[in-house]
Amino acid sequence: MKKKSLPLTLLGGLTVEQFFSEYWHKKPLLIRQAIPGFKPLLSKKELFTLAGRDDVESRLISSFGNHWELSKGPFDRLPVEEPKEWTVLIQGVNLHNEKADALLRQFSFVPSARLDDLMISYAADGGGVGPHFDSYDVFLLQAHGQRRWRIGAQKDLSLIEGMPLKILRNFKPEVEYVLEPGDMLYLPPHYAHDGIAEGECMTYSIGFRTPHYQELAESFLNFKSETVELPGRYADPELEPVTHPAELQDAMIDKVLAEIEKIRFSREDMTLFLGEYLTEPKPSVFFDPPRRPHSQKKFAELAKNNGVKLALKSIMLYQGKHVFINGEAFNVTAKDKTLLAKLADQRALTGEEVCKATPDVLDALCIWYEDGWLVLNK
């Protein structure tokens, strides 16, 4: 029997089971002091520095009445002194900052395959991104200053045409909250909301992956194309004379269809595809291999003494006999799987745990270290 979880301050005293049963995908939840005494993990200067990097996805949104403007980073400068209602959004902060990654991991009660990233928004007074809805679940954690949220469960999700952002045409809020640092608001998919900064403000958004089925289907068919084998060529020894040579013959259609229908998709196919697809780094992600990597022998010695941890940018999952990391799949033995699953779940191994690794796992860990996917604890 599965052990029930304990109530979490992060969820307002609810257990994870209660949260999933009553709120997840269903209705909003306001949590006062979800993280008591919370303070920003990055300063304004550090955020603006990230917004100026070309390996970080950032956007600047400004509004003038009912007109909205959007520009994409990197930014040499931001309109700090200008009297505009503006917001800068910095995506994937957890990929570049250990404290941000640690905050994201507090939400590991949701499977890692669904957890996306931590986005930080910095807004000047009156700044926001307009009334909109997201296609995914989101936790909105107030980090600095105040933000007034107006939310509503409206069914009319039509958008204003001609805008660079998806702004709701007929926003009808039902309730509003002012969030202080440490407060958090959970919103299910497609729940209309509008957040306005009251003074200088920072909000942290914990979002989740919801890939389109169309995207999954296209990617899966591309994945399968590398392994499909249909021997032989089209042939029609039974061919008969035709009076309409340009007409595509039923016999040809039926014969080719019969061959294509021989292709079968198994659960194993889907497991391999999803494992590789969901751990594939985003195009903007680049790993940082060590400048002077240790020898394999020295790496093993240091790993056994100090332990290892996944790089912030690494994504690791597992299922059955398969382990997936950064878009690659590995078949492992049951013994190796136990240790690698622990690495995927905890994102780290102690030196004592590394000492239990087989030579094959140590070799893999060393290769991942050389590729920048894994780092040695100091």
Side-chain angles (χ1 to χ4, degrees):
M1 185 174 179
K2 191 173 182 180
K3 184 179 178 181
K4 289 188 177 181
S5 61
L6 297 173
L8 296 178
T9 301
L10 188 68
L11 295 176
L14 298 175
T15 65
V16 173
E17 290 84 1
Q18 287 174 315
F19 173 71
F20 283 155
S21 174
E22 298 176 28
Y23 294 94
W24 183 254
H25 270 19
K26 301 173 187 69
K27 61 182 180 180
L29 175 63
L30 173 67
I31 308 162
R32 295 293 185 188
Q33 292 304 289
I35 304 181
F38 186 77
K39 297 186 183 304
L41 304 178
L42 290 87
S43 66
K44 180 168 69 174
K45 181 179 179 181
E46 289 172 319
L47 277 180
F48 289 2
T49 298
L50 281 178
R53 289 172 49 170
D54 57 10
D55 63 337
V56 177
E57 183 183 346
S58 58
R59 292 165 288 163
L60 177 64
I61 298 169
S62 302
S63 61
F64 311 88
N66 289 323
H67 178 73
W68 301 84
E69 292 184 356
L70 168 68
S71 54
K72 296 183 178 181
F75 299 104
D76 294 330
R77 61 178 296 275
L78 292 167
V80 178
E81 304 300 330
E82 298 180 24
K84 294 181 179 179
E85 296 176 349
W86 62 275
T87 299
V88 62
L89 306 175
I90 302 161
Q91 208 80 39
V93 179
N94 55 291
L95 302 178
H96 308 279
N97 182 276
E98 289 192 0
K99 292 180 180 178
D101 182 73
L103 174 62
L104 184 68
R105 301 303 158 187
Q106 290 192 43
F107 295 83
S108 289
F109 51 83
V110 177
S112 297
R114 290 276 277 111
L115 197 58
D116 192 4
D117 73 348
L118 173 68
M119 182 185 77
I120 297 181
S121 68
Y122 171 90
D125 185 35
V129 299
H132 66 287
F133 67 92
D134 297 314
S135 299
Y136 49 85
D137 305 85
V138 64
F139 289 92
L140 301 162
L141 173 67
Q142 194 61 22
H144 172 71
Q146 296 179 326
R147 187 182 289 274
R148 182 177 297 275
W149 288 103
R150 298 184 299 153
I151 66 175
Q154 65 188 65
K155 295 183 179 180
D156 179 6
L157 299 179
S158 58
L159 305 175
I160 299 176
E161 296 181 1
M163 290 288 178
L165 298 166
K166 295 181 178 180
I167 306 295
L168 288 167
R169 181 192 301 276
N170 301 307
F171 179 52
K172 295 179 180 179
E174 299 169 347
V175 65
E176 65 178 53
Y177 307 108
V178 176
L179 268 61
E180 305 275 354
D183 293 343
M184 186 167 70
L185 177 63
Y186 163 75
L187 295 174
H190 301 113
Y191 210 93
H193 55 285
D194 184 24
I196 302 296
E198 297 193 345
E200 184 184 60
C201 159
M202 291 187 202
T203 303
Y204 292 9
S205 300
I206 295 89
F208 298 85
R209 297 186 70 172
T210 55
H212 292 281
Y213 283 124
Q214 180 69 27
E215 177 187 338
L216 288 170
E218 292 174 2
S219 298
F220 177 68
L221 291 175
N222 184 61
F223 168 82
K224 280 298 295 179
S225 69
E226 300 174 4
T227 58
V228 167
E229 292 185 11
L230 285 178
R233 288 174 176 268
Y234 178 81
D236 46 11
E238 72 287 348
L239 189 63
E240 297 179 355
V242 297
T243 55
H244 302 286
E247 181 181 11
L248 184 60
Q249 299 296 302
D250 289 335
M252 185 177 194
I253 296 172
D254 293 339
K255 184 172 288 190
V256 174
L257 178 60
E259 290 298 314
I260 299 300
E261 285 180 337
K262 292 178 181 178
I263 301 172
R264 292 291 181 266
F265 304 142
S266 67
R267 192 175 191 279
E268 178 81 351
D269 292 330
M270 189 55 64
T271 298
L272 288 170
F273 161 69
L274 283 175
E276 294 183 13
Y277 176 88
L278 293 171
T279 60
E280 181 70 30
K282 294 180 180 179
S284 60
V285 170
F286 299 93
F287 289 92
D288 303 307
R291 292 182 179 179
R292 296 180 180 178
H294 297 294
S295 66
Q296 190 170 4
K297 182 179 179 181
K298 184 64 175 177
F299 167 81
E301 177 186 334
L302 292 171
K304 290 177 180 179
N305 287 336
N306 304 320
V308 297
K309 60 183 178 182
L310 292 177
L312 295 181
K313 299 174 183 178
S314 284
I315 307 174
M316 189 173 182
L317 301 173
Y318 59 88
Q319 166 60 230
K321 63 183 179 181
H322 305 294
V323 169
F324 309 95
I325 181 169
N326 298 333
E328 295 190 9
F330 301 88
N331 286 355
V332 295
T333 64
K335 182 179 180 181
D336 290 346
K337 160 74 178 302
T338 300
L339 189 64
L340 291 173
K342 185 171 289 189
L343 174 61
D345 284 333
Q346 300 176 168
R347 297 189 61 81
L349 293 174
T350 64
E352 184 179 354
E353 289 169 335
V354 175
C355 286
K356 300 176 183 177
T358 63
D360 285 343
V361 170
L362 276 176
D363 288 345
L365 295 180
C366 187
I367 293 171
W368 297 346
Y369 155 74
E370 292 170 350
D371 290 338
W373 293 4
L374 177 140
V375 297
L376 289 160
N377 288 332
K378 296 181 180 178

